[in-house]
Amino acid sequence: VEQISWWKGEPKWMTQMRLRSLGIFDRKPMAPWFADNMPDIDFQDIFYYLKPATEQVDEWDDLPEQMKKTYEKLGIPEAERKYLAGVTSQYDSEVVYHRNRIELEEQGILFCDMDTALREYPDLVKQYFGSVIPMGDNKFSALNTSVWSGGSFVYVPPGVEVAMPLQSDLRASSETGGKFQRTLIIADEGSKVRYIEGCSAPVYTQDALRCAVVEIVVKPNAWVSYTTMQNWSHNVDNLVTNRARVEADGHMEFVDVNIGSKLTVKYPAIYLVGDGASGER
């Protein structure tokens, strides 16, 4: 855990949060349903951080040929050109491609990977990271908080509407590498945003683990739609905590599609705060 934080050059408060979360993960007992469904999982037999063999780029042609072919087969470059306001694509533990339309920056919309957000917007990340899903919420939120890498960060300023969807994609290429992305979306008062997440993996010869956390903050009168489409192989164990906090007269929609994974366990919830908050799942 200390190595991951050191490699990323993180501030001290994040390193400390990771270590506290690791302690919670170690102490928290395994839920009975998990012991029944996954008795053989070995948390010592997982690579918790796999760095891709490329730096982050903003042109598809600058990716290594294998990555480029993978994303072209998934149709992501074409979708970006036609339908999307911004795209973040993660390969194993790190985001390898990211680009926004210029209009996003002009409107003050922040959309990037979580590692970049921690470097460039540390005050916002510190304010909201773990505010909806505390590190001790469950054993797997504690695991994610201790070893998270990649994922997306979105902040929409008050009164701003993102006209086209934002999209992130995770491609898991290694069966021994865990997938621990962290997503944080903040829709400020009266704003509107639609976010789409796509996940995929090849067929593995042994079980693989994905353990993610998604936190969404919907301020008063804001509107957020979150869609996730996950096309895993049959031996991926998919353990995710998704949660939104919706303030007065805000609106939150979750659309969740899961295909192929051996076991999918989610902890979805919507917290409604104040009069007139609404949510759909």
Side-chain angles (χ1 to χ4, degrees), residues 14-36:
M14 179 56 75
T15 307
Q16 292 172 338
M17 178 178 286
R18 287 181 182 273
L19 292 172
R20 290 198 305 273
S21 299
L22 180 62
I24 292 172
F25 170 75
D26 286 338
R27 294 191 302 271
K28 215 169 184 61
M30 197 72 77
W33 58 261
F34 187 90
D36 291 340

Side-chain angles (χ1 to χ4, degrees), residues 34 64-65 67 137 177 215 220 228 240:
F34 187 90
E65 195 63 27
M67 289 185 187
D137 185 83
E215 297 183 286
T228 178
V240 185

Side-chain angles (χ1 to χ4, degrees), residues 247-260:
E247 299 183 13
D249 297 312
H251 181 85
M252 178 72 220
E253 295 179 356
F254 276 115
V255 179
D256 198 321
V257 181
N258 288 272
I259 303 171

Side-chain angles (χ1 to χ4, degrees), residues 1-272:
V1 169
E2 289 176 331
Q3 270 192 314
I4 291 173
S5 197
W6 179 78
W7 283 330
K8 294 174 175 293
E10 293 179 342
K12 186 176 181 180
W13 66 264
M14 179 56 75
T15 307
Q16 292 172 338
M17 178 178 286
R18 287 181 182 273
L19 292 172
R20 290 198 305 273
S21 299
L22 180 62
I24 292 172
F25 170 75
D26 286 338
R27 294 191 302 271
K28 215 169 184 61
M30 197 72 77
W33 58 261
F34 187 90
D36 291 340
N37 286 282
M38 298 175 65
D40 299 324
I41 189 168
D42 183 358
F43 289 105
Q44 300 300 322
D45 191 30
I46 296 170
F47 288 104
Y48 286 90
Y49 180 78
L50 293 174
K51 184 174 177 62
T54 184
E55 298 299 323
Q56 187 178 135
V57 300
D58 59 7
E59 295 289 344
W60 291 111
D61 289 342
D62 292 338
L63 288 173
E65 195 63 27
Q66 179 186 1
M67 289 185 187
K68 188 165 63 173
K69 287 181 178 178
T70 297
Y71 286 123
E72 286 172 351
K73 287 180 181 178
L74 294 171
I76 298 169
E78 181 181 4
E80 180 194 2
R81 289 190 290 268
K82 292 182 178 180
Y83 311 117
L84 303 173
V87 172
T88 288
S89 293
Q90 181 169 338
Y91 204 87
D92 290 327
S93 296
E94 294 284 356
V95 169
V96 296
Y97 174 87
H98 178 79
R99 186 165 65 179
N100 297 336
R101 292 181 183 265
I102 191 67
E103 302 95 289
L104 293 188
E105 298 178 8
E106 293 174 346
Q107 292 177 288
I109 299 163
L110 307 179
F111 176 43
C112 59
D113 61 278
M114 274 298 302
D115 297 286
T116 297
L118 186 58
R119 290 193 303 271
E120 298 186 2
Y121 317 112
D123 293 341
L124 270 176
V125 175
K126 188 174 184 178
Q127 179 181 354
Y128 291 104
F129 192 100
S131 65
V132 182
I133 301 172
M135 64 179 78
D137 185 83
N138 60 79
K139 190 172 182 70
F140 298 104
S141 65
L143 178 62
N144 176 277
T145 304
S146 64
V147 297
W148 72 270
S149 189
S152 296
F153 175 82
V154 177
Y155 172 77
V156 186
V160 173
E161 179 175 336
V162 186
M164 301 173 73
L166 306 176
Q167 179 167 315
S168 72
D169 298 279
L170 168 64
R171 177 65 175 181
S173 67
S174 170
E175 60 188 336
T176 57
K179 297 81 184 166
F180 301 100
Q181 74 268 35
R182 185 86 180 207
T183 295
L184 176 58
I185 300 172
I186 305 145
D188 216 324
E189 189 166 353
S191 64
K192 184 175 183 178
V193 63
R194 185 181 300 274
Y195 179 90
I196 302 170
E197 175 194 73
C199 303
S200 63
V203 176
Y204 295 138
T205 57
Q206 65 186 63
D207 288 354
L209 174 66
R210 189 241 183 173
C211 176
V213 165
V214 177
E215 297 183 286
I216 303 175
V217 178
V218 185
K219 293 288 189 176
N221 294 294
W223 186 97
V224 177
S225 173
Y226 178 92
T227 300
T228 178
M229 302 185 68
Q230 300 175 11
N231 186 13
W232 299 113
S233 60
H234 67 278
N235 46 4
V236 171
D237 298 316
N238 186 28
L239 309 169
V240 185
T241 307
N242 290 352
R243 189 165 301 150
R245 187 181 76 233
V246 184
E247 299 183 13
D249 297 312
H251 181 85
M252 178 72 220
E253 295 179 356
F254 276 115
V255 179
D256 198 321
V257 181
N258 288 272
I259 303 171
S261 62
K262 180 186 73 174
L263 176 68
T264 293
V265 178
K266 299 226 169 182
Y267 296 85
I270 299 174
Y271 287 141
L272 307 180

